[in-house]
């Protein structure tokens, strides 16, 4: 009887385990449907309720990285730009953002190449709201600085804040150089190399690293960063 009881218990555990494995793909499918219809918050809350994910920022960011190909880049960008309400909530979103971005290596890249890689090859599209853009680029700047501080050839900046300001200037340049022409009768005035240098003069030693800044301008002029879907 003891042997039969043990066998029955084992069969029950195996049955439950099999049910759990079969339910996981169904739960993921439901989660992705929720994400596409109601946003990432709803989908992730569902996975947490199903015990397929914890609230840990590291676990959430890992889920986002692993499944980024199944998530609309616009939805992912909006989620990564979340800010939170109070101090603890803000820290939580900062950590999700940091762990997501920190999985990317920017070692040995100048800031234009790093930013281009970040905005076009990391599974998301930059959100449209200014505060969300600010948060995403701030986290990028932190990770870029960690990877390249001291590498004067690629990162001739004095601190993380300077990286942020230069990255933001690149985004503004990208928008300015590649904005749509309103009509055939009007010619848009676009930012020149000299103006780009002048805009950065108060931010970094732009005159000292003029060739570095010119290389950024030329790269953006020739090939825009596709930051919109």
């Amino acid at each position: 009887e003891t042997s039969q009881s043990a066998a029955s218990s084992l069969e029950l555990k195996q049955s439950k385990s099999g049910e759990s494995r079969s339910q996981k793909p169904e739960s993921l499918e439901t989660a992705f449907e929720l994400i596409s219809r109601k946003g990432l918050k709803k989908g992730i809350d569902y996975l947490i309720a199903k015990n397929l994910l914890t609230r840990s920022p590291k676990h959430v960011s890992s889920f986002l990285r692993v499944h980024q190909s199944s998530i609309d880049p616009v939805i992912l960008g909006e989620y990564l730009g979340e800010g939170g309400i109070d101090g603890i909530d803000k820290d939580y979103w900062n950590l999700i953002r940091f762990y997501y971005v920190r999985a990317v290596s920017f070692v040995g890249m100048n800031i234009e190449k790093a930013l281009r890689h970040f905005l076009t090859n990391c599974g998301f599209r930059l959100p449209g709201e200014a505060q969300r853009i600010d948060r995403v680029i701030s986290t990028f700047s932190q990770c870029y600085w960690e990877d390249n501080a001291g590498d004067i050839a690629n990162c001739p900046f004095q601190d993380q804040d300077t990286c942020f300001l230069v990255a933001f200037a690149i985004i503004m340049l990208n928008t300015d150089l590649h904005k749509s022409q309103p009509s055939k009768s009007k010619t848009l005035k676009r930012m020149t190399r000299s103006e780009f240098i002048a805009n950065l003069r108060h931010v970094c030693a732009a005159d000292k690293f003029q060739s570095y800044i010119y290389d950024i301008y030329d790269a953006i002029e020739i090939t825009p960063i596709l930051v919109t879907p």
Side-chain angles (χ1 to χ4, degrees), residues 10-221:
L10 179 60
E11 286 174 5
L12 182 60
K13 286 180 181 178
Q14 288 174 336
S15 174
K16 286 182 177 179
S17 175
E19 288 174 9
S20 176
R21 282 195 297 271
S22 66
Q23 288 171 357
K24 186 174 180 180
E26 292 176 9
S27 296
L28 278 173
E29 187 176 332
T30 302
F32 289 126
E33 286 176 6
L34 276 172
I35 288 167
S36 64
R37 288 189 292 108
K38 297 186 176 181
L40 261 164
K41 283 185 179 179
K42 291 289 185 184
I44 285 174
D45 284 347
Y46 172 81
L47 290 170
I48 290 169
K50 287 288 185 179
N51 294 317
L52 294 175
L53 193 64
T54 74
R55 289 195 180 277
S56 157
K58 190 172 282 189
H59 289 172
V60 172
S61 66
S62 293
F63 170 81
L64 297 176
R65 287 198 309 273
V66 169
H67 296 285
Q68 63 180 225
S69 62
S70 301
I71 302 170
D72 185 313
V74 174
I75 291 174
L76 181 52
E78 289 293 319
Y79 187 82
L80 291 173
E82 284 284 350
I85 300 168
D86 54 26
I88 294 173
D89 200 29
K90 287 178 180 177
D91 289 343
Y92 178 77
W93 288 104
N94 283 337
L95 283 172
I96 289 176
R97 197 162 34 248
F98 174 76
Y99 286 129
Y100 187 90
V101 179
R102 188 56 290 178
V104 183
S105 173
F106 302 111
V107 174
M109 299 182 189
N110 72 24
I111 196 166
E112 178 272 325
K113 286 184 174 131
L115 185 63
R116 185 184 295 275
H117 175 68
F118 178 58
L119 295 178
T120 58
N121 292 295
C122 292
F124 73 96
R125 284 290 177 261
L126 197 64
E129 183 189 326
Q131 286 186 323
R132 290 176 191 260
I133 294 172
D134 188 279
R135 294 179 195 122
V136 171
I137 298 305
S138 179
T139 304
F140 160 78
S141 302
Q142 178 184 355
C143 295
Y144 178 76
W145 176 252
E146 287 178 0
D147 280 354
N148 293 287
D151 179 357
I152 301 301
N154 286 304
C155 180
F157 310 120
Q158 60 187 7
D159 52 33
Q160 177 184 319
D161 290 341
T162 306
C163 293
F164 171 81
L165 292 169
V166 174
F168 225 98
I170 292 171
I171 291 172
M172 298 291 286
L173 175 68
N174 187 70
T175 301
D176 184 86
L177 291 182
H178 300 287
K179 58 192 172 190
S180 301
Q181 192 83 6
S183 67
K184 292 181 180 178
S185 60
K186 292 184 179 179
T187 303
L188 285 175
K189 184 181 183 301
R190 303 188 189 276
M191 192 183 302
T192 65
R193 271 171 142 212
S194 299
E195 288 170 338
F196 187 53
I197 284 275
N199 289 343
L200 289 174
R201 193 165 286 134
H202 69 288
V203 172
C204 62
D207 292 324
K208 184 178 178 182
F209 303 106
Q210 194 172 83
S211 63
Y212 182 94
I213 303 299
Y214 279 170
D215 285 347
I216 290 174
Y217 183 95
D218 292 345
I220 297 298
E221 184 180 39

